[in-house]
Structures are given as C-alpha cells and as structure tokens.
Amino acid sequence: LHVEVVKCSDLQKPRVGSVYKTRMSGERVTPKVDIYVSNQQASTQTSRGTEPTFKEHFDFPGITALDELVVRVAHPGRKSMSTKIGMFNVKDKFMGSVVVPL
C-alpha cells in the first residue's frame, strides 16, 4: 500500500490550559499526521497552521483487503491525557482522524 499525505483542511485547533480550556491560536498549531495500518505506523514531519501541507509518501508492505487505514492528526506540543487507538498509545493533542477500509 502506498500512501501520500498531501494536506489537511479545516482542522480544529486544540484546547489549551488546565482550568479554562481555550483554543490555541492558529499560528501556534503545528500538526503532524500519524498513519496506522495493520501493525505498521508512519508519521509526517510537523507543519504549521490549520490548513497544513505535507506532500510526504509512505509504503506499507504486506497489506490485505481485510486491513484498515487509520489517519490521525495531532498537535505534538505538550502531552495530554492518553487515549488508545488499536494497539498504539497516543498522547498528543487530538485534532482529527479518519478510518478507511481497504
């Protein structure tokens, strides 16, 4: 399976603060894209803003039609509460995700 991450659009800004949760300013947002398929994972470099461009390519060998592709966008700033996706622990600030059956 060959995956090309081109860009994200209309991302939600992560919330910051401990008591009064407010949205982070768009200039400070530095999202990255994590891709999970079968037992394999890849990540893009971080980009900037709520409409980031990546243009990165990834190859995942040995994928079958029974697998699914999980694409998760997160801001890798300070670590937040841990969530679990499949078998991967993810601690970054969540911004969006999609699951694609293959």
Side-chain angles (χ1 to χ4, degrees):
L1 175 68
H2 180 83
V3 176
E4 179 181 6
V5 179
V6 179
K7 69 181 225 171
C8 298
S9 60
D10 220 9
L11 290 176
Q12 297 232 359
K13 298 174 195 169
R15 295 195 177 270
V16 294
S18 56
V19 177
Y20 300 105
K21 298 278 185 182
T22 59
R23 296 261 180 212
M24 181 181 289
S25 73
E27 305 85 50
R28 293 183 53 213
V29 177
T30 56
K32 69 174 183 168
V33 177
D34 297 317
I35 303 163
Y36 306 94
V37 62
S38 187
N39 61 351
Q40 302 173 59
Q41 183 214 358
S43 296
T44 65
Q45 298 292 316
T46 58
S47 190
R48 186 159 301 281
T50 56
E51 306 268 337
T53 301
F54 297 97
K55 296 181 184 172
E56 295 187 41
H57 298 261
F58 303 96
D59 287 308
F60 298 95
I63 303 304
T64 69
L66 301 175
D67 292 317
E68 55 185 21
L69 175 73
V70 178
V71 180
R72 184 177 189 282
V73 182
H75 174 77
R78 288 187 180 177
K79 301 300 181 189
S80 62
M81 184 188 324
S82 177
T83 57
K84 197 155 178 97
I85 291 182
M87 62 177 63
F88 304 100
N89 284 325
V90 181
K91 296 180 181 180
D92 297 331
K93 291 184 184 288
F94 176 80
M95 295 179 73
S97 69
V98 65
V99 177
V100 181
L102 302 177

XYZ file of all heavy atoms in Angstrom:
795
model
N 0.850 -1.180 0.000
C 0.000 0.000 0.000
C 0.887 1.231 0.000
O 1.794 1.357 0.817
C -0.906 -0.011 1.241
C -1.786 1.215 1.460
C -2.862 1.313 0.374
C -2.428 1.153 2.830
N 0.630 2.137 -0.906
C 1.369 3.403 -0.972
C 0.431 4.520 -0.534
O -0.674 4.651 -1.065
C 1.873 3.660 -2.398
C 2.629 4.936 -2.525
N 3.959 5.031 -2.194
C 2.248 6.176 -2.918
C 4.366 6.277 -2.382
N 3.337 6.995 -2.824
N 0.837 5.313 0.440
C 0.022 6.413 0.964
C 0.764 7.722 0.744
O 1.944 7.832 1.080
C -0.262 6.216 2.474
C -1.023 7.401 3.035
C -1.016 4.919 2.713
N 0.060 8.693 0.187
C 0.617 10.029 0.026
C -0.201 10.989 0.890
O -1.409 11.108 0.729
C 0.561 10.480 -1.431
C 1.110 11.876 -1.635
C 1.037 12.339 -3.092
O 0.463 11.635 -3.933
O 1.569 13.422 -3.367
N 0.453 11.665 1.822
C -0.200 12.666 2.663
C 0.066 14.014 2.017
O 1.210 14.457 1.947
C 0.330 12.640 4.111
C -0.358 13.699 4.948
C 0.146 11.256 4.726
N -0.971 14.656 1.514
C -0.823 15.906 0.783
C -1.082 17.094 1.689
O -0.221 17.942 1.876
C -1.763 15.955 -0.445
C -1.621 17.274 -1.181
C -1.472 14.785 -1.365
N -2.291 17.188 2.253
C -2.614 18.321 3.110
C -3.807 18.001 3.989
O -4.524 17.040 3.752
C -2.873 19.584 2.309
C -4.135 19.572 1.493
C -4.299 20.856 0.725
C -5.727 21.353 0.861
N -5.928 22.666 0.340
N -4.021 18.825 4.987
C -5.200 18.753 5.850
C -5.969 20.050 5.657
O -5.387 21.086 5.354
C -4.805 18.633 7.318
S -3.880 17.154 7.708
N -7.265 19.996 5.848
C -8.041 21.230 5.754
C -9.073 21.282 6.862
O -9.559 20.249 7.322
C -8.722 21.340 4.389
O -9.593 20.267 4.179
N -9.356 22.486 7.297
C -10.402 22.742 8.283
C -10.173 22.015 9.607
O -11.105 21.495 10.202
C -11.750 22.334 7.692
C -12.836 23.312 8.044
O -12.516 24.388 8.589
O -14.007 23.000 7.792
N -8.927 21.964 10.066
C -8.623 21.298 11.339
C -9.139 22.117 12.513
O -9.157 23.343 12.476
C -7.110 21.131 11.503
C -6.432 20.134 10.592
C -4.916 20.172 10.824
C -6.963 18.736 10.832
N -9.551 21.432 13.568
C -9.942 22.102 14.798
C -8.693 22.413 15.602
O -7.809 21.565 15.738
C -10.849 21.186 15.617
C -12.122 20.882 14.910
C -13.320 21.159 15.785
O -13.195 21.554 16.924
N -14.477 20.957 15.226
N -8.609 23.609 16.134
C -7.470 23.969 16.975
C -7.581 23.233 18.299
O -8.666 23.139 18.861
C -7.447 25.469 17.230
C -7.295 26.304 15.990
C -7.425 27.764 16.335
C -7.653 28.585 15.093
N -8.027 29.947 15.407
N -6.473 22.699 18.818
C -6.535 22.006 20.107
C -6.806 22.980 21.252
O -6.487 24.159 21.170
C -5.156 21.366 20.245
C -4.287 22.025 19.257
C -5.153 22.660 18.226
N -7.385 22.461 22.316
C -7.654 23.265 23.511
C -6.411 23.280 24.393
O -5.696 22.300 24.480
C -8.836 22.714 24.273
C -10.125 22.829 23.481
C -11.324 22.616 24.377
N -12.555 22.795 23.646
C -13.199 23.942 23.521
N -12.713 25.018 24.070
N -14.318 24.015 22.852
N -6.165 24.410 25.056
C -5.015 24.553 25.946
C -5.471 25.110 27.287
O -6.556 25.665 27.399
C -3.927 25.475 25.342
C -3.322 24.858 24.107
C -4.479 26.845 25.027
N -4.631 24.986 28.281
C -4.951 25.479 29.613
C -5.398 24.349 30.504
O -5.847 23.307 30.046
N -5.272 24.545 31.798
C -5.637 23.488 32.724
C -7.032 23.673 33.308
O -7.760 22.723 33.481
C -4.600 23.394 33.849
O -4.478 24.656 34.480
N -7.429 24.905 33.597
C -8.742 25.139 34.188
C -9.717 25.652 33.135
O -10.749 25.059 32.883
C -8.652 26.140 35.368
C -10.027 26.422 35.930
C -7.731 25.592 36.443
N -9.395 26.784 32.499
C -10.248 27.360 31.465
C -9.689 26.968 30.109
O -8.727 27.547 29.631
C -10.296 28.889 31.593
C -10.846 29.326 32.921
C -10.007 29.822 33.908
C -12.198 29.214 33.193
C -10.509 30.210 35.140
C -12.716 29.596 34.416
C -11.867 30.101 35.389
O -12.370 30.465 36.585
N -10.299 25.963 29.494
C -9.814 25.463 28.205
C -10.176 26.437 27.094
O -11.335 26.713 26.857
C -10.428 24.098 27.901
C -10.077 23.022 28.902
C -8.741 22.458 28.583
C -8.443 21.292 29.523
N -7.171 20.741 29.319
N -9.172 26.998 26.426
C -9.386 27.886 25.292
C -8.712 27.287 24.068
O -7.862 26.408 24.183
C -8.789 29.291 25.558
O -7.396 29.151 25.804
C -9.457 29.953 26.749
N -9.072 27.760 22.890
C -8.470 27.252 21.652
C -7.120 27.908 21.413
O -6.947 29.099 21.636
C -9.381 27.536 20.461
C -10.697 26.827 20.552
C -10.672 25.591 19.726
N -11.961 24.922 19.825
C -12.114 23.633 19.764
N -11.067 22.855 19.608
N -13.283 23.089 19.848
N -6.165 27.116 20.961
C -4.831 27.608 20.634
C -4.909 28.508 19.404
O -5.723 28.270 18.512
C -3.944 26.391 20.346
C -2.515 26.690 20.018
S -1.607 25.161 19.682
C -1.521 24.443 21.304
N -4.083 29.532 19.314
C -4.098 30.398 18.134
C -3.585 29.615 16.918
O -2.757 28.720 17.047
C -3.241 31.643 18.360
O -1.879 31.308 18.331
N -4.098 29.972 15.733
C -3.745 29.251 14.506
C -2.266 29.271 14.180
O -1.732 28.335 13.605
N -1.551 30.342 14.565
C -0.118 30.430 14.263
C 0.701 29.445 15.090
O 1.792 29.069 14.710
C 0.423 31.840 14.540
C -0.288 32.963 13.834
C -1.515 33.449 14.592
O -1.432 33.726 15.802
O -2.579 33.525 13.965
N 0.198 29.054 16.244
C 0.937 28.161 17.134
C 0.678 26.682 16.852
O 1.361 25.821 17.384
C 0.575 28.467 18.590
C 1.065 29.830 19.031
C 0.763 30.105 20.482
N 1.250 29.043 21.341
C 0.644 28.651 22.476
N -0.445 29.246 22.879
N 1.154 27.683 23.202
N -0.313 26.381 16.040
C -0.668 24.995 15.751
C 0.379 24.382 14.831
O 0.694 24.929 13.779
C -2.066 24.913 15.103
C -2.407 23.488 14.738
C -3.119 25.493 16.028
N 0.951 23.248 15.236
C 1.950 22.536 14.424
C 1.551 21.065 14.310
O 2.123 20.199 14.963
C 3.367 22.651 15.036
O 3.316 22.176 16.381
C 3.874 24.072 15.001
N 0.556 20.760 13.465
C 0.068 19.388 13.378
C 1.030 18.447 12.667
O 1.882 18.868 11.887
C -1.230 19.525 12.587
C -1.052 20.753 11.788
C -0.182 21.659 12.600
N 0.860 17.171 12.970
C 1.531 16.098 12.245
C 0.479 15.041 11.963
O -0.565 15.001 12.622
C 2.690 15.509 13.042
C 2.268 14.734 14.272
C 3.442 14.053 14.932
C 2.930 13.227 16.117
N 3.935 12.340 16.621
N 0.733 14.200 10.975
C -0.194 13.138 10.604
C 0.445 11.796 10.956
O 1.582 11.528 10.566
C -0.537 13.192 9.101
C -1.452 12.045 8.715
C -1.176 14.529 8.748
N -0.293 10.971 11.711
C 0.131 9.615 12.033
C -0.736 8.659 11.228
O -1.957 8.818 11.172
C -0.038 9.320 13.524
C 0.830 10.199 14.392
O 2.004 10.401 14.039
O 0.332 10.676 15.427
N -0.101 7.665 10.603
C -0.804 6.691 9.778
C -0.571 5.317 10.376
O 0.570 4.928 10.641
C -0.282 6.718 8.324
C -0.421 8.128 7.762
C -1.017 5.707 7.469
C 0.416 8.359 6.546
N -1.672 4.588 10.602
C -1.596 3.242 11.158
C -2.295 2.289 10.198
O -3.413 2.555 9.755
C -2.315 3.162 12.508
C -1.851 4.182 13.517
C -2.510 5.393 13.661
C -0.752 3.934 14.333
C -2.090 6.339 14.586
C -0.326 4.867 15.261
C -1.006 6.064 15.374
O -0.585 6.993 16.297
N -1.649 1.182 9.864
C -2.278 0.147 9.049
C -1.649 -1.186 9.457
O -0.434 -1.291 9.600
C -2.141 0.423 7.533
C -0.709 0.440 7.082
C -2.967 -0.542 6.717
N -2.517 -2.176 9.688
C -2.075 -3.477 10.190
C -1.268 -3.234 11.468
O -1.748 -2.587 12.378
C -1.283 -4.204 9.111
O -0.986 -5.516 9.506
N -0.061 -3.701 11.569
C 0.776 -3.445 12.756
C 1.900 -2.466 12.423
O 2.925 -2.451 13.088
C 1.337 -4.744 13.312
C 2.223 -5.457 12.312
O 2.286 -5.075 11.151
N 2.900 -6.490 12.752
N 1.698 -1.637 11.404
C 2.714 -0.689 10.955
C 2.263 0.752 11.217
O 1.072 1.032 11.260
C 2.969 -0.874 9.461
C 3.407 -2.286 9.102
C 3.486 -2.470 7.609
O 4.235 -1.761 6.938
N 2.715 -3.399 7.070
N 3.237 1.641 11.378
C 2.939 3.040 11.642
C 3.952 3.934 10.942
O 5.115 3.573 10.792
C 2.990 3.321 13.144
C 2.626 4.742 13.470
C 3.381 5.311 14.654
O 4.171 4.634 15.272
N 3.141 6.562 14.931
N 3.505 5.132 10.538
C 4.389 6.154 9.968
C 3.856 7.517 10.386
O 2.667 7.661 10.674
C 4.433 6.046 8.448
N 4.736 8.512 10.436
C 4.344 9.871 10.809
C 4.998 10.878 9.875
O 6.134 10.689 9.451
C 4.783 10.189 12.235
O 4.131 9.356 13.155
N 4.286 11.963 9.614
C 4.857 13.057 8.827
C 5.679 13.946 9.750
O 5.611 13.834 10.967
C 3.753 13.923 8.187
O 3.020 14.575 9.229
C 2.834 13.111 7.311
N 6.417 14.856 9.145
C 7.042 15.928 9.905
C 5.930 16.891 10.314
O 4.852 16.884 9.720
C 8.059 16.674 9.027
C 9.207 15.814 8.546
C 10.106 15.401 9.700
O 10.440 16.212 10.549
N 10.481 14.134 9.727
N 6.167 17.730 11.305
C 5.150 18.706 11.677
C 5.088 19.809 10.630
O 6.066 20.091 9.940
C 5.436 19.332 13.063
O 6.719 19.939 13.042
C 5.358 18.297 14.159
N 3.904 20.399 10.496
C 3.699 21.524 9.598
C 3.098 22.647 10.436
O 3.064 22.547 11.661
C 2.775 21.112 8.452
O 2.745 22.110 7.459
N 2.610 23.707 9.819
C 2.097 24.846 10.600
C 0.706 25.249 10.132
O 0.414 25.245 8.954
C 3.042 26.035 10.481
C 2.641 27.181 11.388
C 3.750 28.145 11.701
N 4.931 27.621 12.351
C 5.031 27.357 13.658
N 4.012 27.513 14.441
N 6.171 26.931 14.159
N -0.173 25.592 11.099
C -1.492 26.129 10.797
C -2.592 25.086 10.766
O -2.357 23.899 10.960
N -3.820 25.552 10.511
C -4.980 24.655 10.470
C -5.284 24.161 9.057
O -6.243 23.421 8.857
C -6.227 25.369 11.039
O -6.442 26.573 10.308
C -6.062 25.668 12.515
N -4.462 24.542 8.076
C -4.565 24.063 6.692
C -3.164 23.644 6.216
O -2.665 24.140 5.207
C -5.120 25.168 5.777
C -6.420 25.770 6.237
C -7.643 25.094 5.657
O -7.516 24.454 4.594
O -8.711 25.208 6.268
N -2.506 22.718 6.940
C -1.101 22.398 6.635
C -0.926 21.572 5.367
O -1.806 20.821 4.972
C -0.651 21.596 7.856
C -1.905 20.929 8.320
C -3.003 21.933 8.065
N 0.240 21.720 4.725
C 0.622 20.940 3.551
C 1.805 20.048 3.933
O 2.738 20.500 4.578
C 1.019 21.875 2.399
O -0.100 22.724 2.111
C 1.388 21.102 1.156
N 1.773 18.782 3.510
C 2.826 17.835 3.878
C 3.583 17.290 2.672
O 4.791 17.291 2.634
C 2.226 16.671 4.683
C 1.624 17.108 5.976
C 0.272 17.350 6.090
C 2.421 17.301 7.095
C -0.280 17.766 7.287
C 1.879 17.719 8.298
C 0.520 17.948 8.388
N 2.890 16.732 1.674
C 3.492 16.133 0.466
C 4.546 15.086 0.832
O 5.681 15.137 0.374
C 4.081 17.213 -0.431
C 3.037 18.167 -0.982
C 3.639 19.211 -1.880
C 2.569 20.184 -2.314
N 3.099 21.323 -3.029
N 4.154 14.110 1.662
C 5.048 13.024 2.070
C 4.458 11.687 1.624
O 3.236 11.519 1.585
C 5.263 13.041 3.584
C 5.995 14.287 4.051
C 6.355 14.233 5.531
O 6.766 13.167 6.016
O 6.205 15.274 6.194
N 5.331 10.727 1.292
C 4.928 9.410 0.794
C 5.374 8.322 1.765
O 6.467 8.398 2.318
C 5.577 9.141 -0.570
C 5.172 10.118 -1.620
N 4.206 9.838 -2.546
C 5.586 11.381 -1.886
C 4.057 10.874 -3.345
N 4.893 11.834 -2.961
N 4.533 7.279 1.907
C 4.850 6.149 2.784
C 4.422 4.859 2.105
O 3.389 4.817 1.442
C 4.116 6.274 4.125
C 4.408 7.557 4.844
C 3.559 8.644 4.743
C 5.550 7.684 5.618
C 3.825 9.828 5.393
C 5.829 8.873 6.276
C 4.961 9.948 6.166
N 5.219 3.800 2.265
C 4.883 2.477 1.737
C 4.677 1.512 2.898
O 5.472 1.482 3.849
C 5.999 1.955 0.827
C 6.018 2.695 -0.503
O 4.958 2.777 -1.148
O 7.094 3.200 -0.883
N 3.607 0.721 2.799
C 3.285 -0.288 3.804
C 3.181 -1.641 3.087
O 2.181 -1.908 2.418
C 1.960 0.038 4.500
C 1.975 1.339 5.248
C 1.508 2.506 4.662
C 2.454 1.405 6.536
C 1.510 3.706 5.346
C 2.473 2.595 7.243
C 1.998 3.748 6.650
N 4.187 -2.497 3.204
C 4.155 -3.794 2.522
C 3.254 -4.797 3.253
O 3.013 -4.675 4.453
C 5.617 -4.251 2.567
C 6.197 -3.555 3.752
C 5.457 -2.250 3.890
N 2.757 -5.782 2.500
C 2.019 -6.893 3.091
C 0.624 -6.551 3.596
O 0.111 -7.214 4.491
N -0.032 -5.573 3.026
C -1.364 -5.168 3.466
C -2.406 -5.963 2.678
O -2.261 -6.191 1.479
C -1.567 -3.651 3.247
C -0.496 -2.857 3.983
C -2.955 -3.220 3.669
C -0.409 -3.136 5.467
N -3.482 -6.388 3.355
C -4.552 -7.143 2.698
C -5.837 -6.315 2.663
O -5.931 -5.269 3.300
C -4.837 -8.459 3.455
O -5.446 -8.144 4.715
C -3.563 -9.262 3.672
N -6.834 -6.823 1.954
C -8.128 -6.141 1.854
C -8.885 -6.163 3.181
O -9.864 -5.445 3.351
C -8.967 -6.779 0.760
N -8.445 -6.973 4.132
C -9.099 -7.038 5.443
C -8.587 -5.980 6.411
O -9.164 -5.776 7.473
C -8.906 -8.427 6.063
C -9.464 -9.597 5.240
C -9.106 -10.917 5.901
C -10.963 -9.448 5.068
N -7.507 -5.300 6.052
C -6.932 -4.260 6.914
C -7.690 -2.950 6.748
O -8.471 -2.783 5.810
C -5.451 -4.036 6.572
C -4.591 -5.225 6.937
O -4.785 -5.776 8.023
O -3.736 -5.585 6.112
N -7.459 -2.028 7.669
C -7.993 -0.682 7.513
C -6.900 0.327 7.822
O -5.985 0.067 8.584
C -9.230 -0.445 8.372
C -9.084 -0.716 9.823
C -10.409 -0.569 10.575
O -11.490 -0.650 9.956
O -10.336 -0.361 11.782
N -7.010 1.474 7.176
C -6.051 2.556 7.309
C -6.623 3.577 8.278
O -7.747 4.034 8.113
C -5.835 3.200 5.933
C -4.946 4.431 5.843
C -3.490 4.034 6.022
C -5.149 5.114 4.508
N -5.856 3.920 9.323
C -6.270 4.933 10.286
C -5.340 6.131 10.113
O -4.125 5.991 10.200
C -6.199 4.409 11.744
C -6.577 5.507 12.725
C -7.085 3.190 11.920
N -5.926 7.289 9.838
C -5.162 8.523 9.688
C -5.568 9.429 10.841
O -6.745 9.723 11.017
C -5.455 9.204 8.337
C -4.654 10.486 8.193
C -5.158 8.256 7.186
N -4.596 9.852 11.625
C -4.859 10.658 12.818
C -4.003 11.918 12.759
O -2.805 11.836 12.495
C -4.505 9.858 14.066
C -4.821 10.560 15.356
C -4.487 9.641 16.538
N -4.963 10.191 17.776
C -4.367 11.165 18.444
N -3.252 11.682 18.001
N -4.867 11.611 19.570
N -4.611 13.073 13.004
C -3.897 14.345 13.006
C -3.839 14.832 14.451
O -4.842 14.835 15.159
C -4.595 15.396 12.119
C -3.796 16.687 12.099
C -4.779 14.859 10.713
N -2.633 15.241 14.884
C -2.456 15.680 16.268
C -1.435 16.808 16.333
O -0.560 16.935 15.476
C -1.994 14.524 17.135
N -1.565 17.617 17.369
C -0.585 18.658 17.672
C 0.385 18.074 18.685
O -0.015 17.700 19.783
C -1.287 19.887 18.247
C -0.343 20.947 18.714
N 0.314 21.788 17.840
C 0.069 21.283 19.953
C 1.084 22.605 18.542
N 0.949 22.323 19.820
N 1.667 17.943 18.341
C 2.616 17.254 19.219
C 3.229 18.127 20.305
O 4.317 17.852 20.774
C 3.678 16.757 18.249
C 3.697 17.791 17.185
C 2.281 18.273 17.064
N 2.528 19.187 20.719
C 3.061 20.045 21.778
C 3.137 19.301 23.096
O 3.596 18.170 23.162
N 2.661 19.923 24.148
C 2.651 19.270 25.454
C 1.785 18.035 25.406
O 0.775 17.989 24.724
C 2.088 20.206 26.513
C 3.007 21.315 26.852
C 2.431 22.061 28.006
N 3.304 23.160 28.373
C 3.039 24.010 29.308
N 1.902 23.921 29.978
N 3.882 24.969 29.593
N 2.167 17.055 26.154
C 1.415 15.809 26.181
C 0.114 16.002 26.948
O 0.056 16.714 27.940
C 2.235 14.687 26.831
C 3.541 14.423 26.121
C 3.320 14.013 24.691
C 4.627 13.736 23.996
N 4.505 13.549 22.593
N -0.950 15.372 26.458
C -2.250 15.463 27.103
C -2.672 14.071 27.576
O -1.900 13.123 27.500
C -3.281 16.044 26.142
O -3.435 15.199 25.033
N -3.901 13.959 28.019
C -4.397 12.683 28.518
C -4.225 11.590 27.462
O -4.487 11.810 26.285
C -5.876 12.814 28.882
C -6.436 11.563 29.499
S -8.222 11.577 29.756
C -8.570 13.232 30.195
N -3.801 10.428 27.862
C -3.545 9.332 26.935
C -4.859 8.758 26.408
O -5.812 8.583 27.139
C -2.742 8.251 27.649
O -2.531 7.159 26.805
N -4.909 8.478 25.115
C -6.026 7.768 24.507
C -5.453 6.543 23.823
O -4.248 6.421 23.653
C -6.751 8.649 23.464
O -5.802 9.056 22.491
C -7.393 9.854 24.115
N -6.297 5.626 23.433
C -5.802 4.395 22.822
C -6.474 4.189 21.467
O -7.687 4.236 21.373
C -6.086 3.225 23.748
C -5.297 1.997 23.449
C -5.183 1.168 24.720
C -4.433 -0.097 24.463
N -3.066 -0.039 24.808
N -5.678 3.990 20.426
C -6.172 3.661 19.090
C -5.559 2.318 18.728
O -4.349 2.216 18.584
C -5.741 4.711 18.052
C -6.443 6.026 18.296
C -6.036 4.223 16.645
C -6.089 7.085 17.285
N -6.385 1.313 18.602
C -5.854 -0.013 18.296
C -4.857 -0.427 19.351
O -5.155 -0.457 20.529
N -3.640 -0.731 18.916
C -2.616 -1.141 19.874
C -1.605 -0.032 20.149
O -0.631 -0.241 20.818
C -1.895 -2.391 19.365
C -1.161 -2.163 18.063
S -0.243 -3.564 17.460
C -1.518 -4.744 17.169
N -1.858 1.152 19.637
C -0.905 2.249 19.792
C -1.381 3.232 20.850
O -2.511 3.682 20.810
C -0.723 3.002 18.466
C -0.308 2.106 17.342
C -1.223 1.649 16.425
C 1.012 1.718 17.218
C -0.851 0.834 15.391
C 1.401 0.896 16.180
C 0.461 0.445 15.274
N -0.527 3.562 21.810
C -0.843 4.618 22.770
C -0.492 5.954 22.142
O 0.601 6.135 21.647
C -0.046 4.447 24.065
C -0.606 3.342 24.913
O -1.816 3.142 24.943
N 0.251 2.618 25.596
N -1.427 6.875 22.151
C -1.222 8.187 21.544
C -1.418 9.242 22.620
O -2.428 9.250 23.301
C -2.221 8.406 20.387
C -1.985 9.745 19.742
C -2.089 7.287 19.368
N -0.449 10.160 22.795
C -0.513 11.138 23.867
C -0.561 12.577 23.380
O -0.619 13.480 24.174
C 0.676 10.962 24.807
C 0.673 9.626 25.512
C 1.854 9.487 26.428
C 1.858 8.131 27.100
N 2.994 7.975 27.976
N -0.528 12.814 22.077
C -0.553 14.174 21.550
C -1.972 14.744 21.594
O -2.930 14.022 21.796
C -0.038 14.181 20.113
C 1.402 13.739 20.013
O 2.152 13.944 20.974
O 1.774 13.183 18.971
N -2.103 16.063 21.382
C -3.421 16.709 21.380
C -4.144 16.398 20.069
O -3.720 16.811 18.999
C -3.279 18.209 21.578
C -2.803 18.564 22.979
C -2.781 20.066 23.160
C -2.222 20.453 24.493
N -3.096 20.170 25.600
N -5.252 15.703 20.176
C -6.037 15.236 19.039
C -6.637 16.402 18.254
O -7.168 17.333 18.835
C -7.156 14.325 19.560
C -8.096 13.853 18.512
C -7.756 12.799 17.692
C -9.333 14.456 18.344
C -8.631 12.346 16.723
C -10.205 14.021 17.370
C -9.848 12.967 16.575
N -6.554 16.326 16.907
C -7.153 17.351 16.040
C -8.125 16.772 15.031
O -8.922 17.491 14.458
C -6.043 18.127 15.317
C -5.171 18.927 16.243
S -3.863 19.797 15.361
C -4.799 21.078 14.555
N -8.059 15.480 14.751
C -8.967 14.855 13.801
C -8.477 13.479 13.384
O -7.296 13.158 13.541
N -9.384 12.647 12.877
C -8.995 11.313 12.396
C -10.011 10.794 11.389
O -11.135 11.292 11.309
C -8.847 10.331 13.555
O -10.107 10.049 14.116
N -9.597 9.774 10.654
C -10.466 9.093 9.717
C -9.999 7.644 9.626
O -8.808 7.354 9.732
C -10.456 9.780 8.324
C -9.098 9.695 7.678
C -11.530 9.181 7.424
N -10.962 6.714 9.455
C -10.655 5.299 9.253
C -11.134 4.921 7.866
O -12.290 5.172 7.508
C -11.357 4.419 10.322
C -11.091 2.945 10.062
C -10.913 4.813 11.718
N -10.222 4.318 7.063
C -10.533 3.961 5.684
C -10.420 2.444 5.530
O -9.325 1.889 5.694
C -9.551 4.647 4.702
C -9.885 4.287 3.268
C -9.551 6.148 4.915
N -11.539 1.741 5.241
C -11.424 0.311 4.970
C -10.710 0.081 3.642
O -10.875 0.865 2.701
C -12.872 -0.177 4.901
C -13.724 1.032 4.878
C -12.892 2.231 5.176
N -9.886 -0.971 3.572
C -9.137 -1.230 2.330
C -9.808 -2.316 1.502
O -10.651 -3.002 1.897
C -7.699 -1.629 2.670
C -6.928 -0.601 3.472
C -5.561 -1.128 3.820
C -6.802 0.688 2.684
